[in-house]
Amino acid sequence: MAKEEFISQRNKTDTSVLRNRKIHSSTGESSQSPITPVAKDNSIQNAGRLSEDDTQSSNGSSSQFFGGGSNESPSKLLLMLVVGLSFSTRLYKITEPPHVCWDETHFGKMGSYYINRTFFFDVHPPLGKMLIGLAGYMTGYDGTFPFIKPGDKYEHHNYWGMRGLCAVLGSFLPIFAYLIVLELSQSHSAALITATLLIFDTGCITISQYILLDPILMFFIMAAVLSMVKFSQHRYGPFTAPWWLWMVLCGVNLAGALGVKFVGLFIILLVGLNTICDLWRLLGDLNLSLMEIAKHFLARVVGLILLPLFLYVTIFAIHFVVLNKSGPGDGFFSSAFQSRLIGNNLHNASMPEYLAYGSTITVKNLRIAGGYLHSHWHLYPEGVGAKQQQVTAYLHKDYNNLWLVHRQDENDTQSETPDLVRHGDIIRLEHKETTRNLHSHLHEAPLTKKHLQVTGYGSNGTGDTNDLWQVEVCGGRKGELVKVLRSKVRFLHRATGCVLYSSGKTLPKWGWEQVEVTCSPYLKETPSSQWNIEDHINPKLPNISLSVLKPSFLEILLESHIVMLRGNSGLKPKDNEMNSKPWHWPINYQGLRFSGVNETEYRVYLLGNPVVWWINLASLGLYLIMVAMASVVIQRGFSLGRKRKEHSRVLTRGGGLLLLGWLLHYIPFYTMGRVLYYHHYFPAMLFSSMLTGVTLDILLRSADLILPPPYSDWLQRGGQMVLLFSVLYSFYLFYPLSYGMTGPLAHEPGSVMAGLKWMESWEF
């Protein structure tokens, strides 16, 4: 029965029926999901019992608790105020500074790639960069700015559209937070506390004003949470238009969050847990038939699984269609993948079909992001095996990837038709640029223990017996020809019996952070020990077309995800690179320099408003204490008034949902081995701020536990004013960090930040 119909009949409802529904109905208190919003449940639960409290409003809670929430006009005015402040603080000075700041050098460049349709590689899914490129294109940016390094002047290039997109999406974050908390608590004061914390947080302002993925990601996260909460509030009218609308919007935003960054998986997990609890509640509703429960289940499968999956795949389909030209990302992908890119040497290319002696080739490892067999003039350093020429795997196309194929005992004869290389042949590979042979010996590899070192040895093609390698076509027979691109080949070292191997590990700076190549004693066939011949140049052989190698969409979709995941896992901290630890983030231990270093430069520093972040941190502990106290009181059987019960429900259910959101977006970073930065905490910070709004509002509304009216009301209003003043005054002190500053540094006299370096770790 719809909510409105139920309420209209409340005066006719029999007391015994109410008792029965409390036990069995899906609207009953005992069957509520622990993480489902509940504020509107009480309109159903308390129907027919208005006589118990004449002050109760039509939605089942006292008008005092709602802060006048039954009046729509103040509600609209408050929302308009939040909207105005949010947009004005984010769009203010959006074009300053007029140069590249921090990661704009990456994401602005990737936006340019979309405009130019140039293929590139990034560790994140493509939606965020696609939207940045679209915003630039729609506002007149032509994609020609190079985005080489932070500090480069934009000059005449039209960059404001890309920044504007991020700022507009970032402006929705306080608005969404206001609406979420209002739905969960049905308290305008709780929603206003939340919105105030986010509107006047210097960190949220800064991260929203530049060409970054973070505001786009957080927009979809918050939109998904709002849609989930709205959907839960319509559960008494299943399969109605609003019910479908909010579920579909939730699915769309889940796809959006995952389409920007893989951390979108955390919001998917939150929605998934909420959905599981919702279905469990429905299963316990004895008024629902199994067919009705099956309909609920299938509807959620369609709206929250199949729809997001379809949209997510569609994002990649658009990505592959738009980026159809060869670019800097080619080398991360397989030869077959590259053959679909216009301008790549494999696109509509033709080359000799079979490998021959005397050919110039490139050799690509079949491990995803395994790289091309590569060498250069640099030697291994002292103490790292033999001090011979380095051999690595390089992810980009380069002249130093070229090798010459020779027989084992002599240079190739100058015959009209060169001999072809066959399975079981013994060959030498001479590096074309340095003329040294591919070589291995009984020295340990640099990084992978128990593997042997691979080097470049000899001069002008002469070396020793450790330069000999046996060609083996995987699954082939002796005498079988080696097909270019299509044959999976292994190179077995004749002297030691090991196999040429790309470990996937990144060498230190002495190895130019390229991928380690070893000789593995483990002969099991794996992609790391398998290679294919990609480029093949031999003017004495006829060429064939390679168009037959183009992969299917599902193949390139799978490959792109494997490359992204391995790229993410390879983001290790580099020497002297600023790295952040998860325990730093909630205490606002250290910010991040966006622009400028010295007093003559325009300086922007990403740092959260200290008062806001420390209130959030304190509120986490306060929330746990309040929930524990409420649980003890209820467990001991103390009688609670309707107001206290409402507070308890909001704390445990609405607050529990927000706490779970914070945990899911924060705790996983402790398990990650990749390099971490301060900005990774901001999605969790949104949940923390919403939890703060709920917690402090209930704390202030509980003033009547220690003081009688009107003193309790005065204490409540006084506490709210102190909180508002503290946030506004701290914003007044720290706003130069967001909007930029020049002149003396914080430790120098005359600085706008003089005396505000409250922690030594702050670097402004």
Side-chain angles (χ1 to χ4, degrees):
M1 181 180 294
K3 175 181 175 182
E4 293 80 2
E5 295 173 341
F6 193 97
I7 292 176
S8 68
Q9 298 295 326
R10 60 183 179 269
N11 292 322
K12 301 179 182 178
T13 306
D14 185 85
T15 306
S16 63
V17 175
L18 284 173
R19 268 198 306 269
N20 188 49
R21 286 188 62 81
K22 188 171 184 180
I23 297 172
H24 298 294
S25 173
S26 64
T27 65
E29 181 180 339
S30 62
S31 61
Q32 278 295 331
S33 160
I35 61 173
T36 300
V38 298
K40 293 185 180 178
D41 294 358
N42 305 310
S43 61
I44 307 294
Q45 291 177 8
N46 297 322
R49 293 186 288 175
L50 294 179
S51 60
E52 294 180 16
D53 189 345
D54 293 335
T55 64
Q56 185 168 348
S57 65
S58 62
N59 53 14
S61 294
S62 68
S63 59
Q64 181 185 4
F65 177 75
F66 275 69
S70 60
N71 191 336
E72 290 188 7
S73 181
S75 173
K76 292 180 180 178
L77 289 175
L78 289 175
L79 181 58
M80 289 173 61
L81 177 64
V82 170
V83 171
L85 288 173
S86 187
F87 274 86
S88 60
T89 52
R90 270 66 181 169
L91 294 174
Y92 177 63
K93 298 181 73 172
I94 190 67
T95 58
E96 297 293 329
H99 61 246
V100 178
C101 294
W102 194 50
D103 268 0
E104 285 188 327
T105 187
H106 299 303
F107 302 120
K109 182 186 298 182
M110 293 171 187
S112 298
Y113 285 144
Y114 278 104
I115 294 173
N116 297 317
R117 306 192 67 175
T118 302
F119 187 77
F120 67 93
F121 165 70
D122 185 43
V123 296
H124 306 300
L127 179 59
K129 284 94 64 178
M130 290 168 61
L131 293 176
I132 289 171
L134 178 63
Y137 178 77
M138 296 294 290
T139 53
Y141 172 59
D142 59 5
T144 58
F145 186 75
F147 288 96
I148 296 174
K149 65 182 185 302
D152 288 350
K153 299 288 185 183
Y154 283 115
E155 297 176 340
H156 64 280
H157 293 277
N158 195 347
Y159 63 95
W160 65 267
M162 293 182 285
R163 281 190 181 175
L165 168 75
C166 296
V168 167
L169 295 183
S171 299
F172 279 100
L173 302 181
I175 301 169
F176 287 162
Y178 174 89
L179 295 173
I180 291 167
V181 172
L182 185 60
E183 286 291 335
L184 292 176
S185 68
Q186 293 294 295
S187 168
H188 285 295
S189 54
L192 274 177
I193 290 172
T194 298
T196 301
L197 295 175
L198 293 177
I199 288 172
F200 298 107
D201 178 60
T202 50
C204 284
I205 292 173
T206 304
I207 208 167
S208 297
Q209 287 196 311
Y210 298 93
I211 306 171
L212 302 172
L213 298 184
D214 301 87
I216 306 174
L217 169 69
M218 291 189 288
F219 171 85
F220 285 115
I221 288 175
M222 293 295 282
V225 175
L226 178 60
S227 302
M228 176 186 70
V229 171
K230 287 282 191 179
F231 172 67
S232 295
Q233 299 291 36
H234 284 84
R235 61 185 174 276
Y236 301 115
F239 307 106
T240 59
W243 187 87
W244 279 108
L245 173 65
W246 289 113
M247 182 174 66
V248 167
L249 284 177
C250 185
V252 169
N253 288 302
L254 291 178
L258 187 61
V260 176
K261 282 188 175 183
F262 284 127
V263 293
L265 286 169
F266 302 151
I267 187 61
I268 291 176
L269 183 57
L270 178 65
V271 173
L273 291 173
N274 186 63
T275 303
I276 291 171
C277 291
D278 192 30
L279 290 171
W280 183 253
R281 175 183 59 81
L282 291 173
L283 188 62
D285 184 357
L286 302 184
N287 294 321
L288 293 177
S289 67
L290 290 179
M291 182 60 68
E292 290 174 309
I293 294 174
K295 289 179 181 178
H296 276 276
F297 175 78
L298 290 176
R300 287 160 174 79
V301 168
V302 172
L304 300 177
I305 298 178
L306 297 182
L307 175 63
L309 182 62
F310 170 77
L311 294 175
Y312 181 74
V313 172
T314 301
I315 290 168
F316 276 88
I318 298 172
H319 168 74
F320 293 134
V321 169
V322 173
L323 301 185
N324 63 350
K325 297 180 181 177
S326 178
D330 295 13
F332 290 89
F333 293 83
S334 68
S335 305
F337 187 102
Q338 295 178 46
S339 68
R340 51 178 292 278
L341 299 172
I342 299 172
N344 188 283
N345 62 308
L346 298 178
H347 179 72
N348 292 335
S350 60
M351 62 179 64
E353 182 177 10
Y354 299 107
L355 180 63
Y357 293 102
S359 296
T360 301
I361 64 171
T362 59
V363 185
K364 193 175 193 309
N365 188 255
L366 294 187
R367 173 192 176 104
I368 300 297
Y372 294 92
L373 188 64
H374 177 95
S375 189
H376 40 234
W377 289 104
H378 303 281
L379 306 181
Y380 286 100
E382 198 71 42
V384 181
K387 195 174 182 181
Q388 296 177 6
Q389 184 170 295
Q390 296 176 16
V391 171
T392 65
Y394 189 45
L395 296 176
H396 304 280
K397 292 181 178 293
D398 188 82
Y399 185 78
N400 280 326
N401 298 343
L402 295 176
W403 299 81
L404 297 172
V405 183
H406 295 301
R407 298 178 185 276
Q408 62 172 317
D409 50 358
E410 60 183 23
N411 286 331
D412 307 296
T413 59
Q414 301 297 318
S415 62
E416 285 295 324
T417 304
D419 291 337
L420 301 179
V421 178
R422 299 174 181 274
H423 176 95
D425 282 6
I426 298 172
I427 66 170
R428 281 188 302 108
L429 289 177
E430 177 189 333
H431 189 242
K432 186 171 183 179
E433 171 66 12
T434 62
T435 71
R436 287 178 174 155
N437 295 327
L438 186 69
H439 178 96
S440 188
H441 45 220
L442 297 175
H443 289 268
E444 193 173 62
L447 302 179
T448 306
K449 305 309 176 187
K450 297 186 180 179
H451 285 212
L452 302 181
Q453 183 187 33
V454 176
T455 68
Y457 180 74
S459 180
N460 293 320
T462 60
D464 60 22
T465 56
N466 282 333
D467 302 340
L468 301 181
W469 301 82
Q470 183 171 348
V471 178
E472 180 185 276
V473 178
C474 298
R477 301 184 302 275
K478 186 172 179 62
E480 183 174 327
L481 297 175
V482 178
K483 297 178 181 178
V484 172
L485 291 171
R486 286 174 286 180
S487 291
K488 297 179 181 179
V489 177
R490 300 204 307 167
F491 298 97
L492 275 68
H493 191 240
R494 289 288 291 173
T496 63
C498 58
V499 62
L500 192 65
Y501 188 93
S502 174
S503 70
K505 298 177 181 178
T506 302
L507 293 168
K509 285 193 173 181
W510 57 256
W512 303 93
E513 297 176 350
Q514 296 174 8
V515 179
E516 179 193 38
V517 168
T518 68
C519 200
S520 171
Y522 307 107
L523 301 184
K524 181 180 178 181
E525 291 186 1
T526 67
S528 294
S529 64
Q530 294 173 330
W531 307 76
N532 73 310
I533 312 303
E534 182 171 291
D535 295 288
H536 183 211
I537 303 170
N538 195 319
K540 297 182 179 181
L541 293 174
N543 295 333
I544 64 163
S545 173
L546 302 180
S547 59
V548 296
L549 296 175
K550 290 183 180 179
S552 67
F553 170 72
L554 290 179
E555 288 174 328
I556 62 177
L557 179 67
L558 177 61
E559 181 176 345
S560 64
H561 278 77
I562 295 173
V563 172
M564 284 189 293
L565 293 173
R566 288 185 176 171
N568 261 305
S569 63
L571 292 175
K572 305 298 183 184
K574 300 176 183 177
D575 296 339
N576 301 319
E577 182 183 24
M578 179 175 294
N579 188 26
S580 186
K581 292 180 171 53
W583 69 265
H584 291 172
W585 304 339
I587 63 175
N588 215 22
Y589 178 79
Q590 188 176 43
L592 210 160
R593 187 178 290 113
F594 265 39
S595 172
V597 177
N598 57 54
E599 61 185 28
T600 63
E601 296 176 322
Y602 193 95
R603 302 188 302 279
V604 177
Y605 189 71
L606 177 66
L607 184 73
N609 184 329
V611 171
V612 170
W613 285 55
W614 293 340
I615 287 176
N616 282 346
L617 183 62
S619 295
L620 285 169
L622 181 62
Y623 170 80
L624 296 176
I625 293 172
M626 291 172 63
V627 169
M629 291 177 63
S631 300
V632 169
V633 168
I634 293 172
Q635 187 69 15
R636 293 297 299 168
F638 289 100
S639 177
L640 297 177
R642 183 173 295 107
K643 178 180 176 181
R644 304 290 172 235
K645 288 181 179 178
E646 184 68 26
H647 289 182
S648 176
R649 291 189 188 101
V650 171
L651 270 179
T652 54
R653 294 175 184 165
L657 174 67
L658 298 174
L659 179 65
L660 180 61
W662 177 77
L663 290 171
L664 290 175
H665 286 81
Y666 175 52
I667 298 301
F669 287 101
Y670 282 94
T671 66
M672 295 184 185
R674 57 154 290 170
V675 61
L676 298 174
Y677 299 104
Y678 173 64
H679 71 98
H680 288 142
Y681 183 67
F682 276 83
M685 183 267 182
L686 297 176
F687 286 94
S688 179
S689 297
M690 290 189 287
L691 182 59
T692 297
V694 171
T695 303
L696 294 185
D697 179 65
I698 291 179
L699 178 68
L700 293 172
R701 289 180 179 277
S702 301
D704 57 356
L705 289 174
I706 56 175
L707 290 175
Y711 304 108
S712 59
D713 296 332
W714 297 350
L715 179 59
Q716 177 184 334
R717 302 306 174 198
Q720 291 171 344
M721 294 305 297
V722 168
L723 177 63
L724 177 63
F725 175 79
S726 300
V727 172
L728 290 178
Y729 185 65
S730 61
F731 175 72
Y732 168 74
L733 293 177
F734 287 93
Y735 81 87
L737 297 179
S738 294
Y739 297 126
M741 54 191 169
T742 55
L745 304 179
H747 62 277
E748 299 171 344
S751 171
V752 294
M753 302 303 295
L756 295 177
K757 195 174 180 181
W758 297 346
M759 297 182 72
E760 283 299 318
S761 51
W762 294 351
E763 298 173 317
F764 54 78

